[in-house]
Amino acid sequence: TLCERLAQAEFVTVDTEFLRDNTYFPKLCLVQVADDEGPHAIDPLADGLDLAPLMDLLDNPNVLKVMHACRQDM
């Protein structure tokens, strides 16, 4: 899977997009991840999508994460 492959990378870049219209809490609408092989877009709103592999990747201390404008992502 994508996240298994990215877990083998030295680093991954991460960017997220949130919807903030008419909501008290921002809603995660897009996750963009990339490694030296290229970028990938993940739609967290897709029906049936399990984000656990992505969370495992983000929690993996062996992979450096380079976050883009992460003030609201942490």
Side-chain angles (χ1 to χ4, degrees):
T1 69
L2 172 63
C3 289
E4 290 173 337
R5 185 174 64 76
L6 292 174
Q8 304 306 311
E10 180 180 352
F11 69 91
V12 296
T13 59
V14 182
D15 185 26
T16 57
E17 304 298 334
F18 290 87
L19 176 65
R20 291 179 177 82
D21 295 341
N22 301 320
T23 179
Y24 184 74
F25 295 103
K27 185 174 187 175
L28 181 61
C29 294
L30 177 66
V31 180
Q32 301 166 93
V33 295
D35 62 1
D36 58 357
E37 293 187 28
H40 306 277
I42 300 170
D43 179 359
L45 301 177
D47 287 336
L49 180 65
D50 180 9
L51 291 176
L54 177 62
M55 298 307 295
D56 291 342
L57 173 66
L58 295 176
D59 197 39
N60 183 340
N62 298 318
V63 180
L64 175 68
K65 274 66 84 182
V66 180
M67 307 292 287
H68 177 262
C70 62
R71 181 173 58 105
Q72 296 186 22
D73 297 344
M74 305 305 277

